[in-house]
Amino acid sequence: MSVDYYVRLEQGRAGNPSTAVLTAVADALRMDQAERDHLRSLACAAPPAAPPTPVVRPQLKAMIDAMHELPAIVVDRLSNVLA
């Protein structure tokens, strides 16, 4: 996405931005679900389907469970704690 397009998007001159563009902006700004919903309502876009529930792979869960004495954390790309 170009800087010019982003500026037009912020100023409301970009027409109808696609769901992919709105999702990319929300991801880049690390918005939570309420902020994403607000962004979509400002852009007059329909809300996308619910995001998939994050799942920790069984192998990773088993590895964490095996580390009784060590602190461990699993996060997604937005730093949301998964386990």
Side-chain angles (χ1 to χ4, degrees):
M1 168 185 328
S2 70
V3 173
D4 181 55
Y5 181 75
Y6 183 77
V7 169
R8 286 186 288 134
L9 184 64
E10 276 192 336
Q11 294 173 346
R13 298 183 298 121
N16 276 339
S18 68
T19 301
V21 167
L22 295 176
T23 301
V25 169
D27 288 348
L29 296 175
R30 295 185 176 190
M31 292 182 169
D32 63 20
Q33 191 58 48
E35 293 167 331
R36 289 170 185 266
D37 293 341
H38 184 67
L39 175 66
R40 285 187 184 84
S41 69
L42 289 174
C44 298
T53 304
V55 177
V56 178
R57 290 180 290 167
Q59 298 90 343
L60 187 55
K61 179 76 171 120
M63 187 172 72
I64 291 172
D65 291 342
M67 296 189 283
H68 298 290
E69 302 295 320
L70 300 171
I73 187 171
V74 177
V75 296
D76 64 8
R77 64 187 177 98
L78 296 177
S79 298
N80 296 317
V81 176
L82 302 179

